[in-house]
Amino acid sequence: LLLAARGWGRLGAMARYSTEQRGRPNSPDYRLYFKNANGKYISPFHDIPLFAASKEDKEIPAKRSKTTGSEVLFNMIVEVPRWTNAKMEIATEEPLNPIKHDIKKGKLRYVANIFPHKGYIWNYGALPQTWEDPNHMDNTTGCCGDNDPIDVCEIGSKIRSSGEIVQVKVLGVLALVDEGETDWKIIAISADDPEAQKIHGKYLYIDDVKKHKPGYLEATVDWFQLYKVPDGKPENHFAFNGEFKNKDFAVEIIKSTHEHWKALLHKKVDGGTIKCTNVLVSGSPFCCSEEDARSIVQSAPAFMNGESVSPEVDSWYFFPK
């Protein structure tokens, strides 16, 4: 009925999670659901810890965070692999928050190729258990959040897969102001990348990244400034005149969005249409059972013989009366 789950074993966090596809790729009904090591369906938005830990922990944040040298590592959910164009994203308004293909005005969204680049120029994704509160005005940018998990641009050398969980080292942050909303872009590198130890990140845009990834930061600013222009929209703008803030600044932004997420999951703020359904967050009023989570996934269209089929057809096909 379902496609085989995929897993990765490069680092502990990757081995602990797998994905399961529902619906046809490149279609509005495509969904990529997540499972943990115990085979339970989970929400990548809410159930995967922000801090990369030595073991899965229900505490918020995890009690034991993994470090490399003096760096705390974070879990990143890859939504869009480098060099691809499909705008894949965590479905924040659906139960269990699978990855889906973004749709606007009834059409699947793809980013244009911004010369000389092809698609997204990094592995693009988000940090779990973070939320940019649309009702909270950021003191540094003067704008409210964009109602999503905080975005990550992973600049390592490997092309990652959509749905992959990568342990990353945070290097800095760019403050994009997108249509009047604060849209932070965390710059990070996978902890298993050969250049991770060379990039210390304290003075990101001046020293290490410029030295080891020449032109990458400038290209990042150009890309975010221009990527909506082919769709007829104006250029984007940045706080701090497009200056990259350093690691310490970035970590404080991450911690702040993590606090907003905790308030959301414990019903201390109104999340509007955000779906907070989770399986593992202790004390959350939105926590559901393993059976409820399985029902959510099985209610989505399956994918057989190159076609998407409804759950009713699905069930009849495999269990005819």
Side-chain angles (χ1 to χ4, degrees), residues 132 138 141-147 175-178 180-184:
E132 296 187 70
D138 187 275
T141 66
C143 299
C144 293
D146 71 346
N147 205 30
L176 176 67
V177 178
D178 187 354
E181 297 175 334
T182 301
D183 191 3
W184 295 104

Side-chain angles (χ1 to χ4, degrees), residues 101-175:
H101 199 143
D102 188 27
I103 298 175
K104 192 163 189 178
K105 296 181 179 179
K107 295 183 179 180
L108 300 176
R109 292 185 67 187
Y110 297 87
V111 299
N113 294 322
I114 305 297
F115 183 84
H117 311 298
K118 169 68 174 72
Y120 287 77
I121 63 175
W122 347 255
N123 295 302
Y124 191 70
L127 294 182
Q129 298 188 342
T130 62
W131 180 52
E132 296 187 70
D133 187 346
N135 297 309
H136 172 77
M137 180 174 290
D138 187 275
N139 292 331
T140 58
T141 66
C143 299
C144 293
D146 71 346
N147 205 30
D148 285 324
I150 199 167
D151 296 322
V152 185
C153 302
E154 194 277 316
I155 66 172
S157 57
K158 297 177 182 177
I159 297 176
R160 303 290 179 168
S161 301
S162 185
E164 189 169 351
I165 309 301
V166 182
Q167 294 181 349
V168 298
K169 176 179 174 179
V170 167
L171 305 174
V173 65
L174 179 67

